[in-house]
Amino acid sequence: MEQHTVRLAQQPEADELLGRSPLAALVGMLLDQQIPMEWAFTGPYTIAVRMGADDLDAHEIAARDPEEFAALLSEKPAVHRYPGSMAKRVQQLCQFLVDHYGGDAAAVWRDAADGRELLRRLNELPGFGKQKAQIFTALLGKRFGVTPEGWREAAGAYGEEGSYRSVADITGPESLARVRAYKQEKKRAAGAGTS
């Protein structure tokens, strides 16, 4: 299994899992909403540890009893601010991967003909809207070497070289701070525009 160096969780064990497990990376991206990025991307590692495994398995997660899986994500510290609803979403994502890709998360992007097809496939995943699919396209291109023709265009502004817009641009604490500053500025601008 190929290992990539990522610094999304800012925690060595969690980042190591994200770097070698396509499913962990997808689950981290799914969890990345309404909580700090590091918390979201630590989630896959926390889930694996609580399941007594060193990786995530889409078949196993999809087959879990929903109440039991929700309880697993709700244990302190919770995997997400909304552990019950996110447990359901993680299971829906894993079931989709089982049904459409034989449980192999990397199959979503492995043979995508171009950036548009990659974006379309990611957009079809439960819990992935256009923006999340574009950010993950950029993450795959910038951090995982998944660069089908047109991936930057498909990723939109998130695919730009040298930008600090999303998790795709995080390589350590300094870039994390720059991405966070960009998001805060964007929020401020959006707030100013609505008043």
Short mmCIF file of all heavy atoms in Angstrom, two decimals, residues 9-48:
data_model
loop_
_atom_site.label_atom_id
_atom_site.label_comp_id
_atom_site.label_asym_id
_atom_site.label_seq_id
_atom_site.Cartn_x
_atom_site.Cartn_y
_atom_site.Cartn_z
N ALA A 9 -4.28 16.06 10.20
CA ALA A 9 -4.73 15.91 11.58
C ALA A 9 -3.78 16.59 12.56
O ALA A 9 -4.15 16.85 13.70
CB ALA A 9 -4.87 14.43 11.93
N GLN A 10 -2.54 16.84 12.11
CA GLN A 10 -1.50 17.41 12.98
C GLN A 10 -1.24 16.48 14.16
O GLN A 10 -0.89 16.93 15.26
CB GLN A 10 -1.90 18.81 13.47
CG GLN A 10 -2.21 19.81 12.35
CD GLN A 10 -0.98 20.33 11.65
OE1 GLN A 10 -0.11 20.90 12.28
NE2 GLN A 10 -0.90 20.13 10.35
N GLN A 11 -1.43 15.19 13.93
CA GLN A 11 -1.17 14.16 14.94
C GLN A 11 -0.54 12.99 14.17
O GLN A 11 -1.16 12.47 13.23
CB GLN A 11 -2.48 13.75 15.60
CG GLN A 11 -2.30 12.70 16.67
CD GLN A 11 -3.63 12.07 17.10
OE1 GLN A 11 -4.68 12.34 16.53
NE2 GLN A 11 -3.55 11.21 18.08
N PRO A 12 0.69 12.58 14.51
CA PRO A 12 1.42 11.61 13.69
C PRO A 12 0.66 10.32 13.33
O PRO A 12 0.63 9.93 12.17
CB PRO A 12 2.67 11.30 14.52
CG PRO A 12 2.86 12.50 15.38
CD PRO A 12 1.48 13.04 15.65
N GLU A 13 0.05 9.68 14.30
CA GLU A 13 -0.64 8.40 14.02
C GLU A 13 -1.83 8.60 13.09
O GLU A 13 -2.07 7.80 12.19
CB GLU A 13 -1.11 7.71 15.32
CG GLU A 13 -0.03 7.42 16.32
CD GLU A 13 0.26 8.59 17.26
OE1 GLU A 13 -0.33 9.67 17.12
OE2 GLU A 13 1.12 8.41 18.15
N ALA A 14 -2.58 9.66 13.34
CA ALA A 14 -3.76 9.94 12.51
C ALA A 14 -3.33 10.31 11.09
O ALA A 14 -3.93 9.85 10.11
CB ALA A 14 -4.60 11.05 13.13
N ASP A 15 -2.28 11.12 10.97
CA ASP A 15 -1.79 11.51 9.64
C ASP A 15 -1.21 10.32 8.89
O ASP A 15 -1.36 10.21 7.68
CB ASP A 15 -0.75 12.63 9.76
CG ASP A 15 -1.39 14.00 9.98
OD1 ASP A 15 -2.49 14.23 9.46
OD2 ASP A 15 -0.77 14.84 10.66
N GLU A 16 -0.56 9.43 9.61
CA GLU A 16 0.00 8.23 8.98
C GLU A 16 -1.12 7.39 8.36
O GLU A 16 -1.01 6.91 7.23
CB GLU A 16 0.79 7.42 10.02
CG GLU A 16 1.57 6.24 9.46
CD GLU A 16 0.76 4.96 9.31
OE1 GLU A 16 -0.20 4.77 10.08
OE2 GLU A 16 1.08 4.15 8.41
N LEU A 17 -2.23 7.22 9.09
CA LEU A 17 -3.36 6.47 8.57
C LEU A 17 -3.95 7.17 7.34
O LEU A 17 -4.22 6.53 6.32
CB LEU A 17 -4.45 6.30 9.64
CG LEU A 17 -5.74 5.60 9.19
CD1 LEU A 17 -5.45 4.17 8.73
CD2 LEU A 17 -6.78 5.61 10.30
N LEU A 18 -4.12 8.48 7.41
CA LEU A 18 -4.66 9.23 6.26
C LEU A 18 -3.76 9.06 5.04
O LEU A 18 -4.25 8.99 3.91
CB LEU A 18 -4.77 10.72 6.60
CG LEU A 18 -5.78 11.11 7.68
CD1 LEU A 18 -5.55 12.55 8.11
CD2 LEU A 18 -7.20 10.91 7.19
N GLY A 19 -2.46 9.00 5.27
CA GLY A 19 -1.51 8.90 4.17
C GLY A 19 -1.47 7.55 3.49
O GLY A 19 -1.00 7.43 2.36
N ARG A 20 -1.96 6.51 4.17
CA ARG A 20 -1.92 5.18 3.56
C ARG A 20 -3.30 4.59 3.27
O ARG A 20 -3.41 3.57 2.59
CB ARG A 20 -1.11 4.22 4.41
CG ARG A 20 -1.75 3.83 5.73
CD ARG A 20 -0.92 2.79 6.48
NE ARG A 20 -1.24 2.78 7.90
CZ ARG A 20 -2.27 2.14 8.42
NH1 ARG A 20 -3.08 1.44 7.66
NH2 ARG A 20 -2.50 2.18 9.72
N SER A 21 -4.35 5.20 3.80
CA SER A 21 -5.69 4.63 3.67
C SER A 21 -6.62 5.56 2.90
O SER A 21 -7.07 6.58 3.44
CB SER A 21 -6.28 4.36 5.06
OG SER A 21 -7.65 4.03 4.96
N PRO A 22 -6.92 5.22 1.65
CA PRO A 22 -7.87 6.05 0.88
C PRO A 22 -9.21 6.23 1.58
O PRO A 22 -9.78 7.32 1.56
CB PRO A 22 -8.02 5.28 -0.43
CG PRO A 22 -6.72 4.54 -0.58
CD PRO A 22 -6.37 4.14 0.83
N LEU A 23 -9.70 5.18 2.24
CA LEU A 23 -10.98 5.30 2.94
C LEU A 23 -10.86 6.28 4.11
O LEU A 23 -11.77 7.10 4.33
CB LEU A 23 -11.48 3.94 3.44
CG LEU A 23 -12.81 3.97 4.19
CD1 LEU A 23 -13.94 4.60 3.36
CD2 LEU A 23 -13.21 2.56 4.64
N ALA A 24 -9.77 6.24 4.84
CA ALA A 24 -9.58 7.18 5.95
C ALA A 24 -9.59 8.61 5.44
O ALA A 24 -10.21 9.49 6.04
CB ALA A 24 -8.27 6.88 6.69
N ALA A 25 -8.93 8.85 4.30
CA ALA A 25 -8.91 10.20 3.73
C ALA A 25 -10.33 10.65 3.35
O ALA A 25 -10.72 11.79 3.62
CB ALA A 25 -7.98 10.25 2.53
N LEU A 26 -11.10 9.75 2.74
CA LEU A 26 -12.48 10.09 2.37
C LEU A 26 -13.34 10.36 3.60
O LEU A 26 -14.12 11.31 3.62
CB LEU A 26 -13.12 8.95 1.56
CG LEU A 26 -12.91 8.93 0.06
CD1 LEU A 26 -13.59 7.70 -0.55
CD2 LEU A 26 -13.43 10.20 -0.60
N VAL A 27 -13.19 9.53 4.63
CA VAL A 27 -13.98 9.71 5.85
C VAL A 27 -13.59 11.02 6.53
O VAL A 27 -14.46 11.78 7.00
CB VAL A 27 -13.83 8.50 6.80
CG1 VAL A 27 -14.42 8.80 8.19
CG2 VAL A 27 -14.51 7.27 6.19
N GLY A 28 -12.30 11.33 6.56
CA GLY A 28 -11.85 12.60 7.14
C GLY A 28 -12.48 13.78 6.42
O GLY A 28 -12.95 14.73 7.04
N MET A 29 -12.51 13.70 5.09
CA MET A 29 -13.11 14.78 4.29
C MET A 29 -14.61 14.88 4.58
O MET A 29 -15.16 15.98 4.71
CB MET A 29 -12.88 14.52 2.81
CG MET A 29 -13.25 15.68 1.91
SD MET A 29 -12.06 17.02 2.04
CE MET A 29 -13.16 18.41 2.08
N LEU A 30 -15.26 13.75 4.73
CA LEU A 30 -16.69 13.73 5.05
C LEU A 30 -16.95 14.41 6.40
O LEU A 30 -17.89 15.19 6.55
CB LEU A 30 -17.21 12.29 5.08
CG LEU A 30 -18.69 12.11 5.43
CD1 LEU A 30 -19.58 12.63 4.32
CD2 LEU A 30 -18.98 10.63 5.69
N LEU A 31 -16.09 14.11 7.38
CA LEU A 31 -16.25 14.67 8.73
C LEU A 31 -15.91 16.15 8.81
O LEU A 31 -16.25 16.82 9.78
CB LEU A 31 -15.37 13.90 9.73
CG LEU A 31 -15.71 12.43 9.99
CD1 LEU A 31 -14.63 11.78 10.83
CD2 LEU A 31 -17.08 12.28 10.64
N ASP A 32 -15.22 16.67 7.78
CA ASP A 32 -14.73 18.05 7.81
C ASP A 32 -15.86 19.04 7.54
O ASP A 32 -15.98 19.60 6.46
CB ASP A 32 -13.59 18.23 6.80
CG ASP A 32 -12.93 19.60 6.91
OD1 ASP A 32 -13.10 20.26 7.95
OD2 ASP A 32 -12.26 20.02 5.94
N GLN A 33 -16.69 19.23 8.55
CA GLN A 33 -17.74 20.25 8.51
C GLN A 33 -18.18 20.56 9.93
O GLN A 33 -18.36 19.66 10.74
CB GLN A 33 -18.93 19.78 7.67
CG GLN A 33 -19.51 18.45 8.06
CD GLN A 33 -20.54 17.97 7.07
OE1 GLN A 33 -21.56 18.61 6.87
NE2 GLN A 33 -20.27 16.85 6.43
N GLN A 34 -18.27 21.84 10.22
CA GLN A 34 -18.74 22.35 11.51
C GLN A 34 -17.85 21.98 12.69
O GLN A 34 -18.28 22.07 13.84
CB GLN A 34 -20.19 21.90 11.76
CG GLN A 34 -21.13 22.42 10.69
CD GLN A 34 -22.54 21.93 10.90
OE1 GLN A 34 -22.77 20.74 11.06
NE2 GLN A 34 -23.48 22.85 10.89
N ILE A 35 -16.61 21.54 12.40
CA ILE A 35 -15.61 21.30 13.45
C ILE A 35 -14.25 21.69 12.88
O ILE A 35 -14.09 21.77 11.66
CB ILE A 35 -15.60 19.82 13.94
CG1 ILE A 35 -15.28 18.85 12.80
CG2 ILE A 35 -16.89 19.45 14.64
CD1 ILE A 35 -15.05 17.40 13.25
N PRO A 36 -13.25 21.91 13.74
CA PRO A 36 -11.91 22.22 13.23
C PRO A 36 -11.38 21.08 12.34
O PRO A 36 -11.64 19.91 12.59
CB PRO A 36 -11.07 22.36 14.51
CG PRO A 36 -12.05 22.73 15.57
CD PRO A 36 -13.32 21.99 15.20
N MET A 37 -10.62 21.45 11.31
CA MET A 37 -10.09 20.48 10.35
C MET A 37 -9.32 19.35 11.03
O MET A 37 -9.48 18.18 10.68
CB MET A 37 -9.17 21.16 9.34
CG MET A 37 -9.89 22.06 8.36
SD MET A 37 -8.73 22.90 7.25
CE MET A 37 -8.25 24.29 8.27
N GLU A 38 -8.46 19.70 12.00
CA GLU A 38 -7.65 18.67 12.64
C GLU A 38 -8.52 17.63 13.35
O GLU A 38 -8.20 16.45 13.36
CB GLU A 38 -6.68 19.26 13.68
CG GLU A 38 -5.87 20.44 13.23
CD GLU A 38 -6.55 21.76 13.54
OE1 GLU A 38 -7.65 22.00 13.00
OE2 GLU A 38 -5.98 22.56 14.31
N TRP A 39 -9.60 18.09 13.96
CA TRP A 39 -10.52 17.21 14.66
C TRP A 39 -11.15 16.25 13.63
O TRP A 39 -11.22 15.04 13.84
CB TRP A 39 -11.57 18.04 15.39
CG TRP A 39 -12.56 17.30 16.24
CD1 TRP A 39 -12.56 15.97 16.53
CD2 TRP A 39 -13.71 17.85 16.90
NE1 TRP A 39 -13.65 15.66 17.34
CE2 TRP A 39 -14.35 16.79 17.58
CE3 TRP A 39 -14.25 19.13 16.98
CZ2 TRP A 39 -15.52 16.98 18.32
CZ3 TRP A 39 -15.39 19.31 17.72
CH2 TRP A 39 -16.02 18.25 18.39
N ALA A 40 -11.59 16.81 12.51
CA ALA A 40 -12.22 15.99 11.46
C ALA A 40 -11.27 14.93 10.94
O ALA A 40 -11.63 13.76 10.81
CB ALA A 40 -12.68 16.88 10.31
N PHE A 41 -10.04 15.32 10.66
CA PHE A 41 -9.10 14.38 10.05
C PHE A 41 -8.43 13.44 11.06
O PHE A 41 -7.76 12.49 10.67
CB PHE A 41 -8.08 15.12 9.18
CG PHE A 41 -8.68 15.55 7.86
CD1 PHE A 41 -9.20 16.82 7.69
CD2 PHE A 41 -8.76 14.65 6.81
CE1 PHE A 41 -9.79 17.20 6.49
CE2 PHE A 41 -9.36 15.01 5.61
CZ PHE A 41 -9.86 16.28 5.44
N THR A 42 -8.65 13.68 12.35
CA THR A 42 -8.24 12.73 13.38
C THR A 42 -9.31 11.65 13.53
O THR A 42 -9.04 10.53 13.97
CB THR A 42 -7.99 13.45 14.72
OG1 THR A 42 -6.97 14.42 14.52
CG2 THR A 42 -7.54 12.49 15.81
N GLY A 43 -10.54 11.97 13.11
CA GLY A 43 -11.69 11.06 13.25
C GLY A 43 -11.46 9.66 12.71
O GLY A 43 -11.76 8.67 13.41
N PRO A 44 -10.94 9.49 11.48
CA PRO A 44 -10.74 8.13 10.97
C PRO A 44 -9.84 7.27 11.85
O PRO A 44 -10.10 6.09 12.08
CB PRO A 44 -10.11 8.35 9.59
CG PRO A 44 -10.61 9.71 9.19
CD PRO A 44 -10.66 10.50 10.46
N TYR A 45 -8.78 7.89 12.40
CA TYR A 45 -7.88 7.16 13.29
C TYR A 45 -8.61 6.75 14.57
O TYR A 45 -8.51 5.61 15.03
CB TYR A 45 -6.65 8.02 13.62
CG TYR A 45 -5.72 7.38 14.61
CD1 TYR A 45 -4.90 6.32 14.23
CD2 TYR A 45 -5.66 7.83 15.93
CE1 TYR A 45 -4.04 5.72 15.15
CE2 TYR A 45 -4.81 7.24 16.86
CZ TYR A 45 -4.00 6.19 16.46
OH TYR A 45 -3.16 5.58 17.37
N THR A 46 -9.38 7.68 15.12
CA THR A 46 -10.15 7.40 16.34
C THR A 46 -11.13 6.26 16.09
O THR A 46 -11.25 5.34 16.92
CB THR A 46 -10.90 8.66 16.80
OG1 THR A 46 -9.96 9.73 16.97
CG2 THR A 46 -11.65 8.43 18.10
N ILE A 47 -11.81 6.28 14.95
CA ILE A 47 -12.75 5.21 14.61
C ILE A 47 -12.02 3.88 14.50
O ILE A 47 -12.47 2.86 15.06
CB ILE A 47 -13.50 5.52 13.29
CG1 ILE A 47 -14.41 6.75 13.48
CG2 ILE A 47 -14.34 4.33 12.83
CD1 ILE A 47 -14.98 7.32 12.18
N ALA A 48 -10.89 3.85 13.80
CA ALA A 48 -10.12 2.61 13.63
C ALA A 48 -9.70 2.04 14.99
O ALA A 48 -9.87 0.85 15.25
CB ALA A 48 -8.90 2.84 12.74
#
